Amino acid sequence: MRAHRVIQGALLLAAAQLPFIVACARVEGSDRAEAEAEPDRGDDTDPRPESSDTTSGGGADAPDPALDLFACGFEPSCEPVTMHAYPIPPEALPCAAKLVTGGGTGVLSSLLAPGPYIDETESLIFVLGDGSALVQTRERHCGREGMECGPTPVWEAPSPHRICDLVVSPDVEAACEEDAEGCGWRPWADVANCRAVEEHSCEDVTALLAAR
């Protein structure tokens, strides 16, 4: 009788523990499945690749400045002219006019400096002999009204290369043909309809000037 009661108690205890054993088996099996499905990363770092964009704000890099034709060392065909209150030297204007109207090629240089302080725009004009020119400009500025200007600033990056039309009035053409007063051309002003073109190397410009 005692043995029968012991066996009966053991069966009841086993039946009571069975739900817990099944639940534990399910949890363990689920953990094992998740571990097999997810690869081991080795640490807690973010697995996403780093962005290759190193610029601030994610913007594109600034474009490179245009090739500096001022550094090519071309010799001007006429004396460079500076325009402040009036052109200096004045004889540079007839020389420029005869080059522009004569149908040849050459190099003109001008400096527009209205002031006050340092307020300068320099132009390099490659006359192509067909009524147009390859033009590049550069600027430097220092000081404002009521302010003293420090050391002379360096030139800013030069402008893109442009092809411009050379403006010559019929009166100027006639005066130049007669070698009379009124034959004058202003390199800092008498250009129009400028449009951007591909960059020219020093060798490219030399070839253009030698083409005529």
Side-chain angles (χ1 to χ4, degrees), residues 65-66 68 70 118-122 136-142 153-159:
D68 186 2
F70 290 90
I118 297 175
D119 182 18
E120 299 177 343
T121 300
E122 186 174 15
Q136 187 176 46
T137 61
R138 62 182 182 179
E139 301 180 18
R140 61 182 177 183
H141 308 279
C142 180
V154 298
W155 291 103
E156 298 174 6
S159 72

Side-chain angles (χ1 to χ4, degrees), residues 99-107 125-134 164 166 208-209 211-212:
L99 174 63
V100 170
T101 60
T105 62
V107 183
I125 302 171
F126 299 95
V127 179
L128 302 180
D130 60 355
S132 68
L134 175 67
C164 301
L166 305 180
L208 285 175
L209 296 177
R212 286 179 173 263

Side-chain angles (χ1 to χ4, degrees), residues 34-62:
E34 290 180 0
E36 292 175 354
E38 183 176 354
D40 184 13
R41 295 177 180 173
D43 54 28
D44 294 331
T45 57
D46 189 346
R48 292 174 296 178
E50 294 183 359
S51 172
S52 59
D53 183 7
T54 58
T55 58
S56 61
D61 292 337

Side-chain angles (χ1 to χ4, degrees), residues 152-192:
T152 302
V154 298
W155 291 103
E156 298 174 6
S159 72
H161 298 183
R162 298 172 294 162
I163 291 290
C164 301
D165 296 331
L166 305 180
V167 179
V168 183
S169 70
D171 291 342
V172 169
E173 289 184 348
C176 290
E177 287 178 0
E178 300 173 4
D179 199 16
E181 186 177 357
C183 177
W185 193 81
R186 304 169 298 170
W188 67 90
D190 293 336
V191 294

